[in-house]
Amino acid sequence: MEEQPTQDKPRYRTYRRRWLVLLTAALLSLTNNALFISYSAVAIEAAEYFQKSTNEIDLLATIGFYVGIPMCLVSTFVVDALGFRAGILLGASLTFLGGFVRCMSTFPGLNDSMSLDQQFILSVAGQAVRGMGNPIAMSLPTKVSQNWFPESERLLATGILAMSLPLGFVFGQGCTPLFVKGEEDIPLMNIIWFIPSALTMVFSIAFIRTSDPPSPPSKSAELAAQKERKTFREYLANMRDVFTNTAFMILFLVIGGAIGFFNAFSTQMSQLMCARGYDNVFSGVCGSLLLGTGFIGAIITGTIVKKYGRMGEVTKLFYGFTAIVGVLVAEFMRMSDMHVYLALLCSLFGICGFGMYPLGLELSVEATYPVDQSIGTALIFMSGQIQAGILIFASEMLEGDLEGEDLVKQVCSSVSSRTPSLGSTTSNSSTLDSVGKDHINFLRLIAGYLFFLCLIFIIFFKTKFKRSLADQEHKNAEQCGFLETTN
C-alpha cells in the first residue's frame, strides 16, 4: 500500500490498509455480539421452539459470560505474546465455529433427526464457543488504535471499534424480531447470523497480514512495539503492574460495571418489557435506540475531548448523566403504556453511556501505559462479564409473580402446540413456563448499583496521562532538535 508520512521523521508513517484492519476488527465485534444477543431478543419464540422456560433460554446468553471470564485472561496473553494477528484470527475462528454449530443445530432437514434437547444443547455449545471469542474481540480496540493509527486519529479509531459492540446489539436485538415472527423462524435466524461470521473469517484471513504496520504511526506506538512478544513470566509481571494500579482498578470496577449493567439489561430486556405489555418489536426498537444513539454520544465526546482536552472530566460528566438516565429508565420500565418516554430515555441512555465508554477505554490505556493496551481492555471486559453474570443471576432470584392487572397486561405467555422432533421427551400439549414475571426488585437493584458506581468513579478516579506525556515529550524533543539545527 502507498505510504503517507504523518510526521517529519520518515520512521513514523500511516498506511491506507489501517482502515481495512479497522473494518475487520469492527466486523468481528459486531458479528460476535449480534450472535450473542439474538436469542435473547426473541426469548419467547426460542422458548417455544426448544420447549424450554425463558429462564432456561437465558443460558444461551449467560453461557458466554461464564466461559468468557477465563478467556479474558487467555486473550490478553494471546494478543500480548503472539500479537494482534494471532488474536484476531483466533477470535474470528471461534466466532465462525460458534455460528456454524448454532446454524447446524437447527438447520432444516438436519434438525428432523435430532431431539429438541439435542438441538438446545448444540445451540448452547455454539454460544459457548462464540463466548470464548468475545473477550478477544473486545480486547482489540485500543490495540488497533495504538499500533495502526496516529495520535490525531486514535480516539476516532477507538470510538469506531467501541461502537461496533452496540452496533452488533442493534442488529441482533433490533433486527431479529423483524424476521422471527414465530418459533418456526428460529432456524432461519441461525442461518442469517451465521453469514456475517463467515464473512468475518474471510476478512481476517485476507486483510490481516501482520500484527503491526512496517513503521509505527507515533512515538508511543514505537515504544509499545518494543515491549511486545512477552514471555509468560513477563506477561505475569504486566498483570501484576495492572492489578496494583489504583487508577486502573477503579476503571476495572466502574467501566466494567457499566458494561455489566448494559449486558444484563440487554439480555433481560425482552422479558422485562413483555411483563409490562410491550412486545418484542418495541423492546427491539428500544434496544436499537439505546445502542444506535451511542454513535451520537461517541461523536459528541470525541469532539469535545479533541477540542478542549479534559478527557477525565468529560468521562466523569457523561458517566454521571448515564447514571441519572439509567435510574429513570429502570423507573419507567416498571410501568405500562410508557412507549414514548421509554424510547426517549433509552436514546438518552445510549448517548450518555456509549459517549463515555470509548473514553473509559482510552483512560485505561493512559493509566497503564506502557503495558500492552489489550490487557487493560480485556480485563475491564472480564469485569463486565463477571458483573453481568451476577446481575442476571440476581434477576432470577429477585423475580416475583405478576398479580391482578399486571398479569392481564403481560404478553410473555405462550403455549406451544408444535409437534416435537424425533426423540423429544416433551409432549406437544406442554404449556411453557413463559408467563411474565415481576422484575421490580431487579430494576431497583441495577439502578442503585449504577448510581453507586458513578459516585465511586467521580470521587476517587485520578490518573496521570502517561501515553500522552510520552508523545508530548517526543514532540518537545523534536522541536528542540529542530531549533538546535537551525541555530
Side-chain angles (χ1 to χ4, degrees):
M1 290 289 183
E2 181 181 347
E3 299 179 349
Q4 299 173 327
T6 58
Q7 299 189 32
D8 293 334
K9 290 192 175 184
R11 71 173 182 271
Y12 300 129
R13 303 179 185 275
T14 59
Y15 298 83
R16 290 178 181 173
R17 62 190 172 99
R18 70 188 185 278
W19 299 109
L20 292 176
V21 174
L22 182 70
L23 172 64
T24 304
L27 186 60
L28 172 60
S29 178
L30 185 155
T31 301
N32 194 286
N33 286 289
L35 284 167
F36 159 66
I37 201 66
S38 57
Y39 269 122
S40 297
V42 288
I44 303 303
E45 288 78 7
E48 292 176 347
Y49 181 88
F50 291 113
Q51 301 274 305
K52 302 291 183 182
S53 70
T54 51
N55 281 341
E56 289 175 304
I57 292 299
D58 281 346
L59 183 61
L60 290 164
T62 56
I63 188 65
F65 297 146
Y66 303 139
V67 300
I69 291 170
M71 278 301 296
C72 286
L73 300 176
V74 174
S75 69
T76 58
F77 178 73
V78 170
V79 177
D80 192 27
L82 303 181
F84 164 72
R85 183 172 186 267
I88 198 168
L89 286 175
L90 178 59
S93 298
L94 290 170
T95 301
F96 170 79
L97 182 59
F100 178 76
V101 172
R102 264 184 46 156
C103 181
M104 292 298 102
S105 69
T106 59
F107 196 80
L110 291 179
N111 59 359
D112 293 336
S113 61
M114 292 185 284
S115 70
L116 293 176
D117 287 340
Q118 289 172 334
Q119 293 180 52
F120 181 72
I121 291 171
L122 280 175
S123 290
V124 171
Q127 288 292 80
V129 174
R130 177 220 59 83
M132 294 170 66
N134 193 246
I136 300 175
M138 300 308 298
S139 68
L140 297 177
T142 51
K143 185 80 169 177
V144 173
S145 61
Q146 171 67 36
N147 290 359
W148 285 88
F149 287 83
E151 185 180 1
S152 61
E153 297 176 352
R154 278 200 303 240
L155 191 57
L156 171 65
T158 300
I160 291 173
L161 288 170
M163 288 304 100
S164 63
L165 181 153
L167 186 59
F169 276 77
V170 167
F171 284 121
Q173 191 167 50
C175 297
T176 302
L178 299 179
F179 56 82
V180 177
K181 300 299 184 180
E183 59 182 278
E184 66 278 0
D185 296 322
I186 293 298
L188 174 63
M189 177 191 75
N190 286 333
I191 294 172
I192 288 176
W193 291 124
F194 169 65
I195 294 172
S197 69
L199 185 63
T200 302
M201 189 76 245
V202 173
F203 276 30
S204 299
I205 296 171
F207 298 147
I208 310 300
R209 302 296 181 86
T210 60
S211 292
D212 303 302
S215 298
S218 65
K219 179 64 176 179
S220 60
E222 181 182 34
L223 294 174
Q226 293 171 359
K227 297 179 178 295
E228 291 185 342
R229 303 299 190 274
K230 303 292 189 301
T231 64
F232 186 68
R233 179 175 296 180
E234 291 171 323
Y235 165 76
L236 292 178
N238 276 344
M239 296 293 286
R240 179 199 61 206
D241 292 341
V242 168
F243 277 113
T244 55
N245 185 314
T246 302
F248 174 79
M249 290 309 297
I250 292 175
L251 293 173
F252 177 82
L253 174 64
V254 300
I255 304 299
I259 295 172
F261 174 96
F262 164 74
N263 284 340
F265 187 72
S266 298
T267 302
Q268 299 293 297
M269 181 174 282
S270 176
Q271 297 176 50
L272 294 173
M273 298 191 75
C274 75
R276 296 300 167 187
Y278 304 106
D279 61 21
N280 278 347
V281 173
F282 182 70
S283 67
V285 168
C286 286
S288 298
L289 287 172
L290 188 155
L291 301 159
T293 54
F295 288 94
I296 299 174
I299 292 171
I300 292 173
T301 56
T303 301
I304 293 174
V305 171
K306 187 174 183 179
K307 186 172 183 179
Y308 300 106
R310 303 287 184 180
M311 184 187 296
E313 289 83 351
V314 174
T315 309
K316 289 182 178 182
L317 177 65
F318 272 74
Y319 205 122
F321 289 153
T322 301
I324 293 171
V325 178
V327 170
L328 292 174
V329 170
E331 182 66 24
F332 276 87
M333 198 164 282
R334 294 166 51 191
M335 310 174 191
S336 302
D337 303 319
M338 291 289 174
H339 294 76
V340 174
Y341 295 105
L342 279 174
L344 177 61
L345 288 171
C346 284
S347 299
L348 290 174
F349 187 78
I351 291 173
C352 299
F354 286 100
M356 169 273 297
Y357 176 58
L359 298 185
L361 296 182
E362 286 293 304
L363 286 176
S364 74
V365 178
E366 296 286 354
T368 59
Y369 183 85
V371 172
D372 188 88
Q373 310 81 26
S374 63
I375 290 180
T377 306
L379 291 178
I380 286 175
F381 184 70
M382 181 182 74
S383 172
Q385 299 284 75
I386 294 172
Q387 294 183 65
I390 294 173
L391 290 174
I392 291 175
F393 177 76
S395 75
E396 297 179 5
M397 296 298 101
L398 294 174
E399 68 184 19
D401 294 328
L402 293 171
E403 298 178 351
E405 185 179 350
D406 292 334
L407 186 59
V408 175
K409 287 186 175 181
Q410 65 88 25
V411 293
C412 305
S413 299
S414 59
V415 179
S416 177
S417 60
R418 178 167 61 92
T419 301
S421 297
L422 179 65
S424 173
T425 59
T426 308
S427 70
N428 63 342
S429 61
S430 295
T431 301
L432 297 181
D433 180 22
S434 55
V435 176
K437 298 292 185 178
D438 190 339
H439 298 281
I440 286 180
N441 291 330
F442 173 65
L443 290 169
R444 289 171 176 165
L445 171 67
I446 60 176
Y449 185 59
L450 185 61
F451 198 78
F452 170 71
L453 293 175
C454 176
L455 291 178
I456 292 178
F457 184 46
I458 292 174
I459 295 172
F460 295 108
F461 179 76
K462 295 178 182 178
T463 189
K464 291 182 178 180
F465 288 71
K466 300 175 184 178
R467 182 180 65 177
S468 295
L469 288 173
D471 284 329
Q472 188 59 47
E473 288 174 2
H474 172 68
K475 290 180 180 179
N476 294 339
E478 275 193 332
Q479 291 175 355
C480 291
F482 176 75
L483 291 175
E484 290 175 1
T485 302
T486 54
N487 290 333

